[in-house]
Each structure stands twice: as C-alpha cells, then as structure tokens.
Amino acid sequence: MHRLREPPSALAQPVKAFIHYLASEKRHSPRTCDSYQRDLCRLAGWLGESGVAGWADVQTQTLRRYVATLAREGLNGRSIARHLSAIRRFFDYQLREKAVTDNPAVGLKAPKSGRRLPGVADVDQLARLLDAAPEDPLEIRDLAMFELMYSSGLRLAELVGLDLPALDLRGAEVRVLGKGGRERLLPVGSRARQALEQWLSVRPSLADDGQPAVFVSRRGDRLSRRSVQARLTRWGLCQCADQKLHPHLLRHSFASHLLESSGDLRAVQELLGHADIATTQVYTHLDFQHLARVYDQSHPRAKRGARRADT
C-alpha cells in the first residue's frame, strides 16, 4: 500500500471531533478510539487523494470504490467489515451533527473471504510440552497458565483478567468473565489443578500486597497479554515444539480435542462461551479434516481421487 498524504482539514477535523465524542461521551477505551481513528484517517486520506472535498460529498459509489481498493491491497473480508462498521458509525455521528444528509455506508457489505481454520496442536505434542518440569517460579507460573488455558479453553483476555476469588480448586472449577460481560463456570482438569496449586504456593514471593490477579509478573503486578504470548513462545522454543505456540492455539486445541472425543458441539459451544453456535461449527470442519486424513491413510479403497481403469 502506498503512503497516503495527510487529508485536508475539511476531512480530518470531523474525524477528530468524532474520536473526541467516542472518548468523552461514549467512554470508549483508548484502544477502541485508536482503531476508529486509524480506519477513518485511512479513508480520509484516500478521499483527499481522490479529490473529494468534504464528507457531504461522499456517495455510496465512492465507498464501493474504497472497498474495492482495500480488497486489492490485500485486506480480508473481516478487516473490511471492520472498516465499514467504523464508517457507518462515523456517518451516523455526522447525521446527528447535521453535517451530512444521509449515511452512504448503510447497506454496504464487505466481500466474503474464505474462513481460515484455526491452528490445532497435536495431542501428543501438547502432552510433551506440558509435561516439561518448571525450573523457577516464573516457569511454575507459566505452566499453570498453559495448563489452565488448555484444560478450560480460556481466552487470553479471560486468563489475564482472572482474580483469585474466581478460582475454586477444591471444587475444580473457575469462573470467567467473557465477551459481552457473559460469565461462565468452567471445569478445571486435574493436571491444571496441580499446576495451579504449585503456582499459588510460590505466588506470594512475587505478588504485590493486595494484588488480586491470579497471574502476576516478576514486578508483582497483573501479567499483560503480551507477556503471556512471549512466555508461551519461549516455552515452545525451549521445548523444541514443532510449531509456534500462541494462546489461541491452546484454546483451539482444547475445543478440537474435546469435540473429537465427545462429538457434543453444544457442550463445546458452552465451554468456549460462544454466543452463536455457528462460531463453534468451525471445529466440525477441523474434526472432519482429521477423520478424512485417517480415512485416506487407512481404508483399502480410500483413493477417492483415483479413477477405475476398466471404466
């Protein structure tokens, strides 16, 4: 993508006002505001280079050309949909301010892109990685985190947001707050429980007084998402993993391995905290891929692509 020039003031100033509105009136997080600003500034720069003087001059056909530009630059359907969501909301704000007379983004849809299947680790490989013995308090913490993510299918945000009262090791369960503020109670496997007990026994040597977070850094404060990602990558390198490890890999592996064994899609949906079962159904495709490989390797007449010679 070539670097866009700074948009003219007539395009840039309304974006700044909108971001201020999101931050001050709607109380959106800095991260959300940054995302809106980045997407809208990209559009404003493109409009400026295209000769559009102001937001009132933007038509639906203009935005269709912009969507086509994003697609040519390699953005997938999900990323373009995020752009369109920001644009629609910005024009709604502009309508409220009476700066435009309609919302040209209404009804525009992003192009569909092939759904990327999540990566899954092999059961035996995960067993080798999680059976490695920790050598210091930080590694004891790391093993407890990784065991819990694989045992209970936690999202990264759910893991780092976990507080001590949410853990019930006697009852072998953990209470997490997921997307949309939805709370769910999850079982904790025996190996994860053992790893957590070991971590909680050494946690006081690291944690600040009064710190509620289950997982803390060497400085004693709540562990960040980036730190968890870095530590999992390090763990994989130290244990010579066959693939790069990342938090979502553990969650995806939890879901796929559970579905392979149980076949209960609805139960997996509940454990993952998916509001829509369609989100969970991606794991049925993974499961079929596994079954298809076994079929191809094992069935005496499994050469499905071969043609009979006597036909």
Side-chain angles (χ1 to χ4, degrees), residues 177-299:
L177 192 64
K179 289 184 176 179
R182 293 187 294 271
E183 191 177 72
R184 66 191 193 280
L185 189 64
L186 299 171
V188 177
S190 60
R191 299 296 292 273
R193 193 165 69 249
Q194 293 169 13
L196 283 164
E197 287 171 347
Q198 188 178 7
W199 160 240
L200 292 178
S201 70
V202 301
R203 179 185 175 278
S205 66
L206 289 175
D208 292 337
D209 292 340
Q211 172 57 249
V214 173
F215 299 109
V216 299
S217 71
R218 66 171 73 243
R219 299 184 304 276
D221 57 352
R222 187 182 297 274
L223 200 63
S224 70
R225 299 185 191 191
R226 184 166 295 181
S227 294
V228 176
Q229 293 167 329
R231 293 295 292 189
L232 183 53
T233 299
R234 173 187 178 276
W235 188 277
L237 292 173
C238 290
Q239 305 306 325
C240 301
D242 296 336
Q243 61 194 119
K244 183 178 179 181
L245 300 184
H246 54 86
H248 253 54
L249 180 71
L250 296 180
R251 177 170 158 87
H252 294 327
S253 299
F254 157 83
S256 183
H257 296 165
L258 192 61
L259 187 60
E260 283 180 21
S261 300
S262 69
D264 193 332
L265 186 66
R266 184 68 67 179
V268 174
Q269 177 196 3
E270 292 294 326
L271 290 168
L272 289 173
H274 288 160
D276 187 349
I277 199 168
T279 309
T280 318
Q281 283 175 330
V282 65
Y283 295 103
T284 64
H285 300 307
L286 288 169
D287 191 34
F288 177 78
Q289 286 185 342
H290 166 75
L291 294 174
R293 283 196 299 271
V294 172
Y295 177 85
D296 285 338
Q297 294 167 4
S298 308
H299 196 285

Side-chain angles (χ1 to χ4, degrees), residues 39 42-43 63-88 105 108-113:
D39 291 348
R42 184 172 184 173
L43 171 59
L63 295 179
R64 284 201 182 98
R65 291 199 304 272
Y66 180 62
V67 166
T69 299
L70 294 178
R72 284 196 301 271
E73 291 175 355
L75 266 70
N76 60 30
R78 181 173 295 183
S79 296
I80 294 175
R82 188 200 70 216
H83 276 262
L84 286 173
S85 176
I87 294 167
R88 274 191 293 271
L108 275 183
K109 293 184 179 180
K112 291 184 177 180
S113 56

Side-chain angles (χ1 to χ4, degrees), residues 4 7-8 11 40-55 57-59 62-63 65-66 91:
L4 295 172
L11 292 168
L40 292 171
C41 284
R42 184 172 184 173
L43 171 59
W46 181 85
L47 290 171
E49 289 195 352
S50 302
V52 177
W55 292 105
D57 299 321
V58 177
Q59 300 176 358
T62 312
L63 295 179
R65 291 199 304 272
Y66 180 62
F91 272 104

Side-chain angles (χ1 to χ4, degrees), residues 135-155:
E135 298 180 355
D136 57 45
L138 293 182
E139 288 192 355
I140 291 173
R141 177 204 64 194
D142 293 347
L143 181 60
M145 291 192 304
F146 307 152
E147 282 279 12
L148 182 59
M149 294 185 82
Y150 179 51
S151 167
S152 305
L154 269 65
R155 297 180 177 95

